[in-house]
Amino acid sequence: SQQGEEDPQALSIQEGENATMNCSYKTSINNLQWYRQNSGRGLVHLILIRSNEREKHSGRLRVTLDTSKKSSSLLITASRAADTASYFCATYSYNTDKLIFGTGTRLQVFP
Amino acid sequence: DSGVTQTPKHLITATGQRVTLRCSPRSGDLSVYWYQQSLDQGLQFLIQYYNGEERAKGNILERFSAQQFPDLHSELNLSSLELGDSALYFCASSRGQGPDTQYFGPGTRLTVL
């Protein structure tokens, strides 16, 4: 079963615009990770945020975590055509001791 | 390039057959994870090995089995294949046992005809 649900399922934007993807989850977690997948390829780790952190940055990526609402968001600023991919959130909990992936958001960035 | 290798890239086989997928983790990583990705089920965790021992189990069917060898490479065996087993199978590795970043291989695309 999936822990995380991403919203929206799909997102289309123009180059230069910002893209925001949201992830909601059901049970308490120890960390939340975001991954990117180009079509049919392996997943690439983007960023990890721990349950005691509220915000984290990495280059053009900004991740927030609200444990009271059990939600996270991934913001990609000044998007590029090369950002076109699917983005997955994944939650880790010591209780389940597994990394559980959400359903993903398909992002398309038009040049 | 994540440093995780998987072979073969593609596999086409018939129902009822058995296949073996192979994964070599990044140098120094002790954990290997197997995932199945299909259109209707999304990315599903199958099983994790840590330093040769099974550590966590997910939605792995009884027809599927895996092992991790002393050199830390891993194999996923799928038997009595069904049409519904057609999917992308990913291997990932991490340094430790639990909540670490996982590094994914390029995947094996299995098609069961």
Side-chain angles (χ1 to χ4, degrees), chain B residues 50-66:
Chain B
Y50 175 76
N51 205 19
E53 301 288 325
E54 181 185 306
R55 187 170 183 280
K57 224 166 182 176
N59 303 323
I60 188 165
L61 300 172
E62 284 191 13
R63 300 184 285 110
F64 296 0
S65 65

Side-chain angles (χ1 to χ4, degrees), chain A residues 19-107:
Chain A
T20 300
M21 288 158 267
N22 302 296
C23 169
S24 59
Y25 56 92
K26 297 171 186 161
T27 61
S28 61
I29 62 170
N30 296 95
N31 73 52
L32 185 145
Q33 305 178 31
W34 284 90
Y35 287 79
R36 165 198 165 121
Q37 183 182 31
N38 287 71
S39 181
R41 309 282 296 267
L43 279 74
V44 175
H45 180 261
L46 295 176
I47 200 164
L48 182 154
I49 186 165
R50 303 187 195 287
S51 59
N52 61 353
E53 297 175 309
R54 291 296 166 258
E55 189 169 313
K56 212 161 180 182
H57 297 255
S58 177
R60 293 184 295 114
L61 306 180
R62 173 178 166 251
V63 167
T64 62
L65 178 64
D66 187 335
T67 52
S68 66
K69 294 181 179 175
K70 292 188 169 56
S71 68
S72 173
S73 68
L74 170 67
L75 169 67
I76 303 175
T77 59
S79 63
R80 305 166 182 166
D83 294 328
T84 294
S86 290
Y87 292 82
F88 294 86
C89 69
T91 53
Y92 178 86
S93 161
Y94 286 121
N95 291 337
T96 60
D97 200 21
K98 297 182 184 73
L99 192 62
I100 301 176
F101 285 81
T103 50
T105 292
R106 286 191 313 278
L107 173 66

Side-chain angles (χ1 to χ4, degrees), chain B residues 36-82:
Chain B
Q36 179 194 59
Q37 187 178 37
S38 59
L39 282 173
D40 55 343
Q41 293 288 320
L43 194 66
Q44 298 284 325
F45 167 70
L46 296 179
I47 197 164
Q48 176 198 358
Y49 279 82
Y50 175 76
N51 205 19
E53 301 288 325
E54 181 185 306
R55 187 170 183 280
K57 224 166 182 176
N59 303 323
I60 188 165
L61 300 172
E62 284 191 13
R63 300 184 285 110
F64 296 0
S65 65
Q67 52 183 328
Q68 186 179 29
F69 295 87
D71 67 353
L72 301 177
H73 91 270
S74 177
E75 292 181 355
L76 178 67
N77 300 296
L78 315 176
S79 61
S80 303
L81 285 168
E82 302 174 359

Side-chain angles (χ1 to χ4, degrees), chain B residues 9-48:
Chain B
K9 279 189 176 177
H10 301 276
L11 203 46
I12 301 174
T13 188
T15 54
Q17 295 298 306
R18 173 191 168 94
V19 298
T20 297
L21 313 183
R22 184 189 165 102
C23 167
S24 292
R26 287 189 327 154
S27 176
D29 284 0
L30 298 178
S31 276
V32 169
Y33 310 79
W34 286 98
Y35 292 88
Q36 179 194 59
Q37 187 178 37
S38 59
L39 282 173
D40 55 343
Q41 293 288 320
L43 194 66
Q44 298 284 325
F45 167 70
L46 296 179
I47 197 164
Q48 176 198 358

